[in-house]
Amino acid sequence: MNDKNISSVIKDIPKKGFTVKFWQDHRSAFVQGSGVAKCLKALKDRGVPPSGDPSGVPPKEMEHVIDWFYKLDSALAKAKKKCGKPQSHTEKFCAAFIKVVLKRLEEAQGLLKNASRAEAAQEKQRQDTDKELQKFKKQQEKQQELVLDELADLDKRAKNMAKACEEMTKDIKLATADVNKLIKGLETQRNGDGKIAPDLGKRFENGLTAIQKKYKLPLHGQNLKSSLPKVLKELTSLFQQYLKLDYAKRERISAGASLKEAQDGLKAANASFKIYAESHKKLALAFKETA
């Protein structure tokens, strides 16, 4: 290096100076062994281009690059100290190189800081997202618990209705059997004209009234006509909204089975009441055949 080319060499440092060849081509052999070439090779291995620009360095290598920039600064300072008057051009070369290295070091530190900020922002965003997911999950679990409770309540109501219909059917069948006994007994009390004495008719009529009261037939009739059909319609409508909920499959199957029992129970109760009504009508007609 000489007075003619030192300026152009110095200008080339931020363009292509961060290579072992550039350094060795322009430095004095007197400063050999200062460790500059080792640092330049390490920087190249970590993705630093000949310009020394760290912007393209992989984020995971940035801290190592910063460390090697520090080492390169120290190695250049060491090489500079070795220079005497005969190595004045190399001394200027080292001084200029140090300025570029410090600039690249500052750039690398800024990139690392920005990367850290970006990473921190991403981490915060991830944490916020996790919080939102956890919040959503808890809300979903709470909603699912509510749905399961609703299904359990529906199941319970359907079971209670099925049980009520079963007990009602039992009452109606017993009442029908007792009315048929009255009819049979009344037939044996007819006189020669096929008529029934008024006092006997009154006694049998009182017996019918007692049967109705004993087995709560007026109440059963009212429930079969209005209350129970309304309840069944409500339960059936509610059940429809749970048909596509996979997480409630077990509870849905149980509630569906109970609802089917309630439906079948209501049909059985209505059928029994119809049979009773026929017997009741038959007995009522007999009362009109008094002497």
Side-chain angles (χ1 to χ4, degrees):
M1 211 164 31
N2 52 53
D3 291 336
K4 292 182 179 181
N5 67 359
I6 187 169
S7 295
S8 62
V9 170
I10 289 174
K11 288 181 180 180
D12 283 340
I13 295 174
K15 299 177 183 178
K16 55 182 180 180
F18 286 75
T19 66
V20 174
K21 186 176 184 307
F22 185 88
W23 165 251
Q24 291 177 344
D25 285 349
H26 298 97
R27 58 104 170 111
S28 168
F30 189 77
V31 299
Q32 184 177 356
S34 301
V36 175
K38 179 182 178 181
C39 294
L40 291 171
K41 183 178 183 305
L43 288 169
K44 178 183 178 183
D45 292 344
R46 282 161 178 77
V48 176
S51 65
D53 182 1
S55 60
V57 173
K60 64 179 182 178
E61 295 287 353
M62 193 61 73
E63 289 188 11
H64 297 295
V65 166
I66 290 172
D67 186 45
W68 281 107
F69 275 143
Y70 275 118
K71 291 178 180 179
L72 178 58
D73 175 45
S74 298
L76 287 167
K78 183 178 179 180
K80 182 183 176 186
K81 285 183 181 180
K82 287 184 179 182
C83 296
K85 189 174 181 180
Q87 294 84 35
S88 60
H89 293 100
T90 296
E91 185 178 11
K92 291 180 181 180
F93 177 49
C94 289
F97 212 141
I98 288 172
K99 288 182 180 180
V100 177
V101 169
L102 293 177
K103 181 181 178 183
R104 296 307 191 201
L105 172 61
E106 184 179 357
E107 292 171 354
Q109 290 172 329
L111 290 168
L112 180 61
K113 188 175 182 180
N114 290 338
S116 298
R117 286 177 179 173
E119 185 177 351
Q122 289 176 351
E123 177 60 20
K124 186 178 183 303
Q125 184 177 15
R126 186 190 66 77
Q127 290 177 355
D128 290 344
T129 300
D130 287 346
K131 287 180 181 178
E132 287 298 318
L133 288 174
Q134 288 299 322
K135 182 179 178 181
F136 174 75
K137 185 178 179 181
K138 287 182 179 179
Q139 290 175 340
Q140 191 175 44
E141 289 175 349
K142 186 175 181 180
Q143 180 62 32
Q144 289 179 358
E145 287 177 2
L146 289 174
V147 168
L148 293 178
D149 288 343
E150 290 171 0
L151 264 174
D153 182 64
L154 190 155
D155 194 352
K156 183 179 179 180
R157 291 178 65 190
K159 279 184 169 67
N160 288 339
M161 180 176 171
K163 184 177 180 181
C165 288
E166 183 182 357
E167 293 175 353
M168 190 182 302
T169 299
K170 182 180 178 181
D171 281 348
I172 295 169
K173 286 183 177 180
L174 289 173
T176 302
D178 285 356
V179 170
N180 287 336
K181 288 178 183 178
L182 283 180
I183 294 172
K184 186 175 180 181
L186 191 62
E187 289 300 320
T188 65
Q189 301 301 317
R190 292 183 184 276
N191 59 24
D193 297 327
K195 301 291 184 177
I196 300 172
D199 59 328
L200 286 175
K202 187 63 177 177
R203 285 168 52 193
F204 275 90
E205 187 174 354
N206 290 338
L208 177 59
T209 301
I211 290 172
Q212 290 178 317
K213 185 177 181 180
K214 178 181 179 181
Y215 295 110
K216 300 171 284 187
L217 296 180
L219 178 61
H220 290 338
Q222 183 180 354
N223 286 336
L224 287 172
K225 184 177 180 180
S226 59
S227 301
L228 290 177
K230 287 181 180 179
V231 172
L232 182 60
K233 183 178 180 181
E234 178 194 354
L235 294 178
T236 302
S237 177
L238 288 172
F239 184 71
Q240 298 302 314
Q241 63 185 319
Y242 306 117
L243 293 178
K244 296 182 180 180
L245 300 179
D246 292 336
Y247 65 85
K249 184 178 180 180
R250 184 180 63 182
E251 292 77 5
R252 185 177 68 247
I253 290 174
S254 178
S258 298
L259 189 58
K260 181 66 167 56
E261 288 180 16
Q263 291 171 338
D264 292 344
L266 184 58
K267 287 180 182 178
N270 275 317
S272 296
F273 200 84
K274 185 176 180 181
I275 294 172
Y276 164 79
E278 292 174 355
S279 295
H280 180 99
K281 182 178 179 181
K282 185 176 180 181
L283 183 58
L285 288 174
F287 291 152
K288 294 181 180 180
E289 299 176 356
T290 55

